[in-house]
Amino acid sequence: GAGVSQSPRYKVAKRGQDVALRCDPISGHVSLFWYQQALGQGPEFLTYFQNEAQLDKSGLPSDRFFAERPEGSVSTLKIQRTQQEDSAVYLCASSAQDRGMNTEAFFGQGTRLTVV
Amino acid sequence: AQKVTQAQTEISVVEKEDVTLDCVYETRDTTYYLFWYKQPPSGELVFLIRRNSFDEQNEISGRYSWNFQKSTSSFNFTITASQVVDSAVYFCALSEHSDDKIIFGKGTRLHILP
């Protein structure tokens, strides 16, 4: 497709379960970002990739969160031993230029994670 | 530190009225970028505009207009002759040239009543 695609759209996980969220950026886009959006809040930065290199992971809330983009295209955000406070919408964005979010970024529809 | 404040949590107006969404930002960088995004109920963030800190010209795009004032660190967004389809959450955001990430405000939920 032409836009950023995220899957699954909805995920319900039991507390303690591991989850993996997938992001397919727009083809050819160099930069890829993950954001976490809690209910009623603005998106909060998690991590940034330039091609396969993870250049900034300062926003990852704990070592239970891990992201990868091994071939510089598809990215996976993994959350281990999920906790209730991980419940949020996880947004992925991609950008054509390697200066990151200073340029226009395109967002996916997000994955809504609910931890029960 | 960079910060974006959207003081209006929620606004309701009747269709065809004009409405202005306020945004105030803080940054120590002299080069930075300001954005507005729209988030409809579907959840996807839709890019509306990007301005750099050296371009203070106001911009108009159809019914949308933006007023950038460095003196007050504000980047306000006005919708003229609002329509029901404008109902969404609107986010103002900031990115410093020295950084890769964008910082979002908490958003303003806009209800356009028919």
Side-chain angles (χ1 to χ4, degrees), chain A residues 2-4 25-26 29-35 45 47-49 91-108, chain B residues 33-38 44-50 93 95 100-104:
Chain A
V4 177
I26 294 173
H29 275 194
V30 170
S31 298
L32 184 145
F33 300 81
W34 283 99
Y35 279 77
F45 171 81
T47 187
Y48 161 59
F49 289 88
L91 294 165
C92 176
S94 72
S95 172
Q97 298 182 34
D98 62 10
R99 199 54 191 94
M101 292 295 281
N102 292 168
T103 57
E104 178 180 351
F106 298 87
F107 281 81
Chain B
Y33 306 86
L34 297 165
F35 304 80
W36 276 95
Y37 280 85
K38 173 182 180 179
E44 185 173 346
L45 280 164
V46 178
F47 170 85
L48 297 178
I49 190 171
R50 167 186 175 269
S95 178
D100 298 306
K101 58 182 171 286
I102 189 170
I103 301 299
F104 286 85

Side-chain angles (χ1 to χ4, degrees), chain B residues 13-79:
Chain B
V13 300
V14 176
E15 196 174 18
K16 296 183 184 176
E17 286 186 358
D18 299 348
V19 58
T20 295
L21 310 182
D22 297 333
C23 173
V24 174
Y25 63 91
E26 294 177 30
T27 178
R28 284 181 289 206
D29 270 21
T30 55
T31 303
Y32 52 90
Y33 306 86
L34 297 165
F35 304 80
W36 276 95
Y37 280 85
K38 173 182 180 179
Q39 189 173 45
S42 61
E44 185 173 346
L45 280 164
V46 178
F47 170 85
L48 297 178
I49 190 171
R50 167 186 175 269
R51 302 306 299 275
N52 72 56
S53 52
F54 298 109
D55 183 3
E56 284 192 75
Q57 270 196 325
N58 291 330
E59 184 158 338
I60 298 175
S61 176
R63 295 184 298 107
Y64 295 170
S65 63
W66 291 270
N67 184 355
F68 176 26
Q69 292 196 346
K70 286 179 78 170
S71 60
T72 55
S73 296
S74 65
F75 187 44
N76 297 339
F77 172 34
T78 297
I79 302 175

